[in-house]
Every structure is written in structure tokens, then in C-alpha cells.
């Protein structure tokens, strides 16, 4: 019997992903994003916070440094091993959990939850909504949820984008993005070319994108009332040309 093909995130988030993306996450960038997360959530001092799809834990560690009791959840145990090592080196304590965001299993457990850097929209519409339902259950009344992702409205006016950049190590990175109009899924492809002529790395993913209005309606359906919308950590107001969309919603009592 042939094993079914795994869901794309399982294949996408591997060591090659780290080769492509980790060099982009400078300490300065992570610190600025962590400060934005803290400002957005307004969690109580020392509050319990969930980093949803925490990856290798850069924001979770940053939040722990600020005094929050952080749980980092991700489906990838390899990334959580890296996160645990980095947390130990930073001298902070974080609870790391392997799990599926569609089945969190928490109830009234956190003062705040955040999903950062487009870690929402991996699945079909019903399963994506299930993620929001699980977040709502995990939050305590009055708790906040920050959802940060690519801005679909900008993709409408820039439906096909290709960029080339050279990294500090000399490698060339090509990123290509296109939008499927009917399904509202963005297809992203990355190609990393080794300057020494070594192996190339190609990664591709398909992600459901949502308008601000769509997300607001989905959040309200699960008792999460939007209180703030912005263009992300750089502080710009949200608009059709914003590269990012950041929504903060509060769980009603």
C-alpha cells in the first residue's frame, strides 16, 4: 500500500526551509517584530501566551525575555529542538509542544495568542476556520489574538511577482509569487542558488489568502471581535498597498 502524500507544510518546513529563510531573520528584525507582538496583544505582565506555529521559536524566545510565560506550539519536532537549544542559550524558559493547530486542545488557557509571519491559511477553508475556533477556545475572556499574514489585497494589484536578491553569503535567492483568482490561494516558489556551484534548493507552497473583511467575519463567528487592524510591524496603516495585514481580535466574555 502506498502512503498518502503528506500535507504540503510537512514537506515544506524542513532543513532546506531553514537554509532559505533563517538568514533573513536578523536579531534586529526579530526584536522589532517581538515588540510589535507585545504592543498588539497588551497581555498582562507575566501573562500566559501561546505562539501558534512557532517554528524555531525566535518570537517565543523574545516574548519570554520580556517576562511572559510562553508556550510555543509547532508540528515540527526538529524545529522545536532548535528552539529549545536557542532558549537555553538565551537563559529563558519556554514550554515547547508538538501539535496540530487544528486540534489545540486548550480551553481558557492563555491571556493571548499570536500567529505571525503567515502561519495561517495552510489548509482548506473548513480546516482554516477550525484553527480560529481552536484559538477562541484557548483564549480566556478578554484575551487577544494577533493574526499577521500577507495582504491579499496587494496581491490583487500585483498578481505575479518575481524578485532576485543576493545574500551576505553570496547565494542568490529568487522568490516568485502568483495568485490563483478562483481559489484565492497564493503560490510561492523560492529558488536558492549556491555561489560555489553546489546544490540548488527549490521550495514551493500553496496558501489560502483572505481579505481583511473575510477574516473579520470568521473571527466574529467564533467570538473574536476585531479591535485593531494595521499594515504590520513597520507601523504603516493598513491599505491596499500594504505588504502585510495584522489583525488584533479580542475574545468576548
Amino acid at each position: 500500500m502506498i502512503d498518502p502524500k503528506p500535507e504540503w507544510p510537512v514537506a515544506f518546513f524542513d532543513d532546506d526551509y531553514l537554509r532559505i529563510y533563517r538568514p533573513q531573520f536578523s536579531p534586529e528584525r526579530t526584536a522589532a517584530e517581538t515588540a510589535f507582538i507585545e504592543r498588539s496583544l497588551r497581555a498582562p505582565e507575566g501573562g500566559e501566551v501561546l505562539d501558534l506555529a512557532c517554528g524555531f521559536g525566535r518570537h517565543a524566545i523574545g516574548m519570554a525575555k520580556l517576562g511572559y510565560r510562553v508556550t510555543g506550539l509547532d508540528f515540527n519536532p526538529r524545529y522545536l529542538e532548535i528552539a529549545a537549544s536557542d532558549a537555553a542559550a538565551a537563559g529563558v524558559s519556554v514550554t515547547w509542544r508538538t501539535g496540530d493547530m487544528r486540534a489545540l486542545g486548550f480551553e481558557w488557557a492563555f491571556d493571548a495568542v499570536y500567529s505571525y509571519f503567515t502561519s495561517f491559511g495552510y489548509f482548506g477553508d473548513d480546516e482554516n476556520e477550525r484553527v480560529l475556533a481552536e484559538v477562541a477556545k484557548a483564549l480566556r475572556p478578554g484575551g487577544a489574538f494577533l493574526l499577521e499574514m500577507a495582504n491579499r489585497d496587494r496581491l490583487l494589484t500585483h498578481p505575479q511577482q518575481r524578485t532576485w536578491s543576493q545574500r551576505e553569503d553570496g547565494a542568490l535567492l529568487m522568490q516568485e509569487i502568483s495568485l490563483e483568482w478562483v481559489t484565492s490561494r497564493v503560490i510561492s516558489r523560492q529558488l536558492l542558488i549556491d555561489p560555489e556551484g553546489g546544490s540548488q534548493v527549490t521550495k514551493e507552497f500553496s496558501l489560502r489568502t483572505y481579505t481583511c473583511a473575510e477574516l473579520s467575519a470568521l473571527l466574529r463567528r467564533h467570538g473574536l471581535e476585531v479591535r485593531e487592524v494595521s499594515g504590520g510591524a513597520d507601523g504603516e496603516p493598513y491599505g491596499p498597498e500594504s505588504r502585510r495585514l495584522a489583525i488584533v481580535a479580542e475574545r468576548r466574555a
Side-chain angles (χ1 to χ4, degrees):
M1 182 176 178
I2 299 175
D3 290 335
K5 185 178 179 181
E7 293 176 305
W8 74 258
V10 176
F12 183 80
F13 292 105
D14 57 10
D15 285 351
D16 283 340
Y17 170 88
L18 296 179
R19 283 182 60 192
I20 290 175
Y21 280 94
R22 203 169 188 186
Q24 302 178 37
F25 302 137
S26 67
E28 293 77 16
R29 173 176 173 175
T30 297
E33 292 172 350
T34 302
F36 173 74
I37 291 169
E38 183 185 32
R39 289 195 308 271
S40 299
L41 294 175
R42 302 180 212 160
E45 184 176 349
E48 294 187 84
V49 177
L50 173 65
D51 184 330
L52 191 64
C54 65
F56 51 91
R58 62 194 184 98
H59 297 122
I61 293 169
M63 291 293 284
K65 287 179 179 179
L66 295 173
Y68 297 99
R69 291 173 288 167
V70 183
T71 296
L73 183 136
D74 202 273
F75 75 87
N76 190 321
R78 159 72 174 147
Y79 286 9
L80 294 179
E81 289 176 4
I82 296 171
S85 177
D86 288 349
V92 296
S93 176
V94 178
T95 300
W96 305 107
R97 288 190 51 163
T98 305
D100 188 323
M101 66 175 72
R102 294 165 291 185
L104 295 178
F106 296 112
E107 288 193 34
W108 290 23
F110 298 101
D111 299 299
V113 178
Y114 61 92
S115 169
Y116 203 90
F117 196 55
T118 314
S119 53
F120 175 76
Y122 292 165
F123 314 110
D125 287 358
D126 291 344
E127 290 185 301
N128 288 334
E129 185 171 353
R130 191 185 309 165
V131 173
L132 299 182
E134 288 292 299
V135 167
K137 286 195 297 185
L139 277 171
R140 293 171 181 143
F145 174 45
L146 168 63
L147 181 59
E148 194 271 359
M149 62 190 305
N151 177 18
R152 179 186 177 276
D153 286 354
R154 188 177 192 278
L155 293 172
L156 291 177
T157 54
H158 303 75
Q160 291 189 319
Q161 305 172 44
R162 178 182 293 171
T163 60
W164 288 89
S165 59
Q166 187 165 27
R167 305 195 322 189
E168 290 184 1
D169 62 2
L172 282 173
L173 177 63
M174 186 276 289
Q175 299 187 76
E176 187 176 64
I177 296 174
S178 61
L179 179 67
E180 292 184 341
W181 298 101
V182 174
T183 61
S184 196
R185 296 191 76 89
V186 64
I187 309 300
S188 179
R189 180 171 173 262
Q190 297 86 31
L191 172 64
L192 185 67
I193 302 175
D194 191 306
E196 304 299 326
S199 62
Q200 297 183 2
V201 175
T202 302
K203 305 293 289 181
E204 183 174 303
F205 69 81
S206 165
L207 188 92
R208 171 69 156 95
T209 56
Y210 294 84
T211 67
C212 182
E214 284 179 308
L215 286 172
S216 298
L218 286 172
L219 290 164
R220 282 196 302 273
R221 189 180 299 172
H222 297 283
L224 297 165
E225 197 66 41
V226 174
R227 75 181 187 199
E228 184 179 341
V229 177
S230 73
D234 58 8
E236 70 173 85
Y238 173 70
E241 286 299 308
S242 305
R243 291 185 176 275
R244 312 297 296 174
L245 166 62
I247 296 179
V248 183
E250 185 173 304
R251 188 188 191 280
R252 295 193 293 265

